[in-house]
Amino acid sequence: MTSENARYAIGIDLGTTNCVLGYAPLDTEEIEVKILEVPQLVVADTLESRNVLPSFHYAAVQQEAGRGAYDLPWASGRDFVVGEAARKQSADVPMRSVAAAKSWLAYNKVDRREPILPWNAPADEVPKISPVDASARYIQHLVAAWEQRFPEAPLKDQRVVLTVPASFDASARELTWEAARKGGLPEDAVLLEEPQAAVYNYVSQRGDQWRSEISPGDTLLVCDVGGGTTDFTLVKIDEENGEMVLNRVAVGNHILVGGDNMDLALAHIARELFAQKGTQLDPWQSVSLWHACRGAKEALLSDNPPENYPVAVLGRGSKLIGGTVKAEIPRDTAVSALADGFFPPCGPDAAPARKVMSGFRELGLPFESDTGITKHLASFLRAHSSAAGESVHPTHLLFNGGVFKSSLFRKRITDTLSQWSSSDKPIVSLERLSDLDFAAARGAAYYGYTKQQGGVRIRGGVPRSYYVGIETAGPAVPGIPRPLSLLCVVPNGMEEGTEINVPSEEIGLVVGEPAEFRFFSSSVRKEDQAGQTLPYWQGSEEIEESDSLQTELPAEERFEEGYVPVKFQSRITELGVFELWCKSTISDDKWKLEFSVRPVHEQA
């Protein structure tokens, strides 16, 4: 999998809010995962080392860049900064700041390779950057920090594992992989789902003790709520040949609810407090307030919270001294809004409400209209109970994501699941010894270690079934598109390092002229096999459309009819990347179509 020169297993958590790098030597029998202290600017001209790199990007103004305010030991003349200094600037100068680039990677309504961030910032005033490039710059910083600390062990020679949300589809994973390569990760770096990383971290922290805490027949729910997304994963504990094995049996859909939404909720509260004082905030002040409320959330939900927390934004005046406006958010108001708004009590039959969300829409991301995480959890368990043909009741619970630093939120989830369970036994919360901020990076490093040294592994393969849209033949009807059937090209659970020839009739691949290619996926249709056709899928909540592609595939003159009869070959690489090949049945030509919409024509 990796270079023979590898000395370390490295796990990188490319988080919505923070990035973390964990590492472990490969030449020891007992694994010990450490967290890299990352040198970064905390304000202009001030360098400190922190164990997290905040996932923020700030475009410097000309005066700052000209005097080298954001130079680093390994880079000078920079006109941008990432990390803590950028996070602080996001509250004061949001128009020049990028946050939540990771969430944009999964948003298929925009071109994520184009410079679109900061969203809605005037392009003639602010240099913009793509979500892919922003993510790449975070990784570049981690790579540089690693090589400053370990110059004798270049990162490109190490065994590297990068985490992604379990709910990321093939397109978002490919874009993450593209950012990783741009950022300097080795070509053989591996993608690992964040909830799986959390389980690996639990195993590494507990040693052999974990085998006495869970047993064959148990079902582990990983509840992962981070800065931008919510992920649910079910892991079944089985037994084979007298040994316990872990099988990942279900993952949820991509749910854009997380700590960022909570910050927005507090920003709404604060904005009303400002309005009561006669201060109306403009759009960019509102975005600034959103960033400022991140600290308010963390303080008010801590174990020793203040009664009130002050938030401030710059006023409209040109003077900075005395140019801020302030308000204090009461703890009781914040706790009630966040607990009831994001973890409301509900029954097992609850479902998220479908309505148009309002407020702060200038941020652009398609946040869930219903922020009730408990409702989404009920829907997830119900959908996978239906797919499994039996009721799914988790017996054990593992928390992941910074949101669950709050004991109040952990208790809400635990109490809710206990109320839903038909068992007399209470659900068991598996406590970990490490901080939630570091779990994904630690678990990813542990996974990299086990790839070489051996250890418990989670089975599961790809968490979704994937489909391509095939236009059916027939006479045209004015104003009505021809019906589209779906062909399954990757079944749920297909293992890494395997490929399949998709059984089907010949399909006409349009070449030499513009055409649209449509792709779909499902996290709950687990019985569909490669080659299975779904003629009636419209309106099904089980099917999600991924990126569509409008492009012109290259063609030679010999393809006179404008299309080529092809059959599909699907590959899941050892790195977990999905490839779909269209292989001509009349020549040696083949085309690669990726869900990240990058067609490649190749002569065999």
Side-chain angles (χ1 to χ4, degrees), residues 86-145:
R87 186 189 70 80
K88 290 178 177 177
Q89 289 292 75
S90 68
D92 292 339
V93 197
M95 189 171 68
R96 304 186 70 86
S97 304
V98 173
K102 178 179 177 178
S103 294
W104 287 94
L105 290 177
Y107 186 29
N108 60 20
K109 303 302 182 184
V110 298
D111 188 338
R112 290 147 287 180
R113 296 189 182 90
E114 288 298 310
I116 59 174
L117 302 178
W119 187 252
N120 277 346
D124 57 340
E125 298 180 30
V126 179
K128 294 196 174 188
I129 189 172
S130 73
V132 169
D133 286 337
S135 301
R137 286 185 175 180
Y138 306 148
I139 293 173
Q140 286 170 352
H141 191 106
L142 293 176
V143 170

Side-chain angles (χ1 to χ4, degrees), residues 408-479:
L408 171 63
F409 295 160
R410 297 196 302 271
K411 187 176 186 303
R412 278 286 178 108
I413 289 289
T414 304
D415 289 349
T416 299
L417 285 168
S418 296
Q419 292 169 6
W420 294 349
S421 176
S422 58
S423 172
D424 294 334
K425 296 181 179 179
I427 189 167
V428 178
S429 178
L430 300 176
E431 297 296 332
R432 291 200 315 275
L433 303 181
S434 66
D435 192 292
L436 287 165
D437 284 334
F438 311 132
R442 289 183 185 275
Y446 176 82
Y447 174 77
Y449 177 92
T450 62
K451 293 281 281 189
Q452 175 171 305
Q453 303 293 71
V456 64
R457 298 281 300 281
I458 302 171
R459 302 175 182 176
V462 295
R464 290 173 171 266
S465 301
Y466 288 100
Y467 311 82
V468 294
I470 308 294
E471 183 179 296
T472 57
V477 177

